[in-house]
Coordinates of all heavy atoms in Angstrom, one line a residue:
Q274 N 107.8 125.0 38.4 CA 108.6 125.6 37.4 C 108.8 124.7 36.2 O 108.7 125.0 35.1 CB 110.1 126.1 37.9 CG 110.8 127.0 37.0 CD 109.9 128.2 36.6 OE1 109.5 129.0 37.6 NE2 109.6 128.6 35.3
A277 N 105.6 124.7 34.2 CA 105.6 126.0 33.5 C 106.5 125.8 32.3 O 106.1 126.3 31.1 CB 105.9 127.0 34.4
D278 N 107.7 125.4 32.6 CA 108.7 125.1 31.3 C 108.1 124.3 30.3 O 108.3 124.5 29.0 CB 110.0 124.7 31.9 CG 110.7 125.8 32.8 OD1 110.2 126.8 32.8 OD2 111.7 125.3 33.5
N281 N 105.8 126.3 28.2 CA 106.7 127.2 27.3 C 107.2 126.5 26.2 O 107.3 127.0 25.1 CB 107.7 127.9 28.2 CG 107.2 129.0 29.0 OD1 106.1 129.5 28.7 ND2 107.9 129.3 30.0
L304 N 93.8 133.4 31.9 CA 94.9 133.7 32.9 C 96.2 133.7 32.1 O 97.2 134.6 32.3 CB 94.9 132.9 34.0 CG 93.7 133.0 35.0 CD1 93.8 131.9 36.1 CD2 93.8 134.4 35.7
F305 N 96.5 132.6 31.3 CA 97.8 132.6 30.6 C 97.8 133.7 29.6 O 98.9 134.3 29.3 CB 97.9 131.2 29.8 CG 98.7 130.2 30.7 CD1 98.0 129.7 31.8 CD2 100.0 130.1 30.4 CE1 98.8 128.8 32.7 CE2 100.7 129.2 31.3 CZ 100.2 128.6 32.4
S306 N 96.7 134.0 28.9 CA 96.7 135.1 27.9 C 97.1 136.5 28.6 O 98.0 137.2 28.2 CB 95.3 135.2 27.3 OG 95.2 136.4 26.6
K307 N 96.4 136.7 29.8 CA 96.7 137.9 30.4 C 98.0 138.1 31.2 O 98.7 139.1 30.9 CB 95.5 138.2 31.5 CG 95.5 139.6 32.0 CD 94.3 139.7 33.0 CE 94.4 141.0 33.6 NZ 93.5 141.1 34.8
I308 N 98.3 137.0 31.9 CA 99.6 137.1 32.7 C 100.9 136.7 31.7 O 101.9 137.5 32.0 CB 99.5 136.1 33.9 CG1 98.3 136.6 34.8 CG2 100.8 136.0 34.6 CD1 97.8 135.5 35.8
A309 N 100.7 135.8 31.0 CA 102.0 135.2 30.4 C 102.0 135.6 28.9 O 102.9 135.4 28.2 CB 102.0 133.7 30.5
K310 N 100.9 136.2 28.3 CA 100.8 136.6 27.0 C 101.1 135.3 26.1 O 101.7 135.4 25.2 CB 101.8 137.7 26.5 CG 101.9 138.9 27.6 CD 100.8 139.9 27.4 CE 101.0 140.9 28.5 NZ 100.5 140.6 29.8
K311 N 100.4 134.3 26.6 CA 100.7 133.0 25.8 C 99.3 132.4 25.6 O 98.4 132.4 26.4 CB 101.4 132.1 26.8 CG 101.8 130.8 26.1 CD 102.9 130.1 26.8 CE 103.1 128.8 26.1 NZ 103.7 128.9 24.8
L403 N 96.9 129.8 38.0 CA 97.4 131.1 38.0 C 99.0 131.1 38.3 O 99.7 131.8 37.7 CB 96.5 131.9 39.1 CG 96.8 133.4 39.2 CD1 95.6 134.2 39.4 CD2 97.9 133.7 40.2
L404 N 99.3 130.2 39.3 CA 100.6 130.1 39.6 C 101.5 129.7 38.5 O 102.7 130.2 38.2 CB 100.8 129.0 40.8 CG 102.0 129.1 41.6 CD1 102.1 130.5 42.3 CD2 102.0 128.0 42.6
L405 N 101.1 128.8 37.7 CA 101.8 128.3 36.5 C 101.9 129.3 35.5 O 103.0 129.6 34.9 CB 101.0 127.1 35.8 CG 101.1 125.8 36.7 CD1 100.2 124.7 36.0 CD2 102.5 125.2 36.6
A406 N 100.9 130.3 35.4 CA 101.1 131.4 34.4 C 102.1 132.3 34.8 O 102.9 132.8 34.0 CB 99.6 132.1 34.3
Y407 N 102.2 132.6 36.1 CA 103.3 133.4 36.6 C 104.6 132.8 36.4 O 105.5 133.4 36.1 CB 103.0 133.8 38.1 CG 102.2 135.1 38.3 CD1 100.8 135.0 38.4 CD2 102.8 136.3 38.3 CE1 100.1 136.2 38.5 CE2 102.0 137.5 38.4 CZ 100.6 137.4 38.6 OH 99.9 138.6 38.7
A408 N 104.6 131.4 36.9 CA 105.9 130.8 36.7 C 106.4 130.8 35.3 O 107.6 130.6 34.9 CB 105.7 129.3 37.2
S409 N 105.5 130.7 34.3 CA 105.9 130.5 32.9 C 106.6 131.9 32.5 O 107.2 131.9 31.4 CB 104.7 130.1 32.0 OG 103.9 131.4 31.8
I410 N 106.5 133.0 33.1 CA 107.2 134.1 32.8 C 108.3 134.5 33.8 O 108.7 135.7 33.9 CB 106.3 135.4 32.6 CG1 105.3 135.6 33.7 CG2 105.5 135.2 31.2 CD1 104.5 136.9 33.8
G411 N 108.7 133.5 34.5 CA 109.7 133.6 35.5 C 109.3 134.4 36.8 O 110.2 134.9 37.5
K412 N 108.0 134.5 37.1 CA 107.5 135.2 38.2 C 106.8 134.4 39.3 O 105.7 134.8 39.7 CB 106.6 136.4 37.7 CG 107.4 137.4 36.9 CD 106.6 138.6 36.6 CE 107.4 139.8 35.9 NZ 106.5 140.8 35.6
L413 N 107.3 133.2 39.4 CA 106.6 132.3 40.4 C 106.4 133.0 41.8 O 105.4 132.9 42.3 CB 107.5 131.0 40.5 CG 107.1 130.0 41.5 CD1 105.7 129.4 41.2 CD2 108.0 128.9 41.5
E415 N 106.2 136.0 42.6 CA 105.1 137.1 42.5 C 103.8 136.5 42.6 O 102.9 137.0 43.3 CB 105.3 137.9 41.3 CG 104.7 139.2 41.3 CD 104.9 140.0 40.0 OE1 106.1 140.2 39.6 OE2 104.0 140.5 39.3
G416 N 103.5 135.4 41.8 CA 102.3 134.7 41.7 C 102.0 134.1 43.1 O 100.9 134.3 43.6
D550 N 94.7 139.7 39.6 CA 94.5 138.5 38.6 C 93.8 137.4 39.2 O 93.3 136.4 38.6 CB 96.0 138.1 38.2 CG 96.6 139.0 37.2 OD1 95.8 139.8 36.5 OD2 97.8 139.0 37.1

Side-chain angles (χ1 to χ4, degrees):
Q274 194 57 56
D278 293 345
N281 282 337
L304 292 173
F305 265 79
S306 167
K307 187 174 179 200
I308 298 162
K310 317 279 177 287
K311 183 165 179 63
L403 188 140
L404 196 61
L405 286 169
Y407 271 93
S409 76
I410 49 166
K412 293 188 173 174
L413 174 63
E415 198 178 308
D550 290 335

